[in-house]
Amino acid sequence: MGHIRRIAVHVDEPDPGHFYWVHMEEGDDASQWVELESADEPYDLWIEALQAGMRALVGYAPDERIGPRAEGEDEDLPPIGIPLGGS
């Protein structure tokens, strides 16, 4: 199983009273975030946009018990930042 994906949801208001949820995922560099998707239509309330974004975020997890996972990783490799030799 791959590592859990770092996906964030936030709400953007490009025009007053028009709220959109946005999903961002951490890129290769921890300081870089890439937009995954956003709402097609605006919501009238910030809280409605946030709740819809959270519901959409759950859709990235094929199993709600383990969350969204990255695919294609070698499970035998050590975690990122730990040298192949151990310590």
Side-chain angles (χ1 to χ4, degrees):
M1 173 181 344
H3 74 276
I4 194 162
R5 294 170 66 187
R6 293 185 175 132
I7 302 173
V9 61
H10 71 270
V11 176
D12 192 18
E13 185 185 22
D15 297 309
H18 293 89
F19 301 97
Y20 294 82
W21 57 262
V22 180
H23 290 160
M24 304 287 286
E25 183 168 21
E26 184 180 60
D28 293 334
D29 178 344
S31 66
Q32 176 189 43
W33 288 79
V34 179
E35 184 174 322
L36 293 174
E37 68 174 325
S38 61
D40 292 328
E41 299 292 326
Y43 292 83
D44 293 330
L45 301 175
W46 174 87
I47 192 68
E48 290 175 346
L50 179 64
Q51 291 170 337
M54 294 298 291
R55 286 190 300 274
L57 179 59
V58 171
Y60 284 97
D63 182 336
E64 293 177 358
R65 295 170 294 173
I66 62 168
R69 299 288 171 156
E71 296 180 15
E73 291 185 340
D74 184 346
E75 293 181 18
D76 295 326
L77 287 177
I80 295 172
I82 298 179
L84 290 176
S87 50

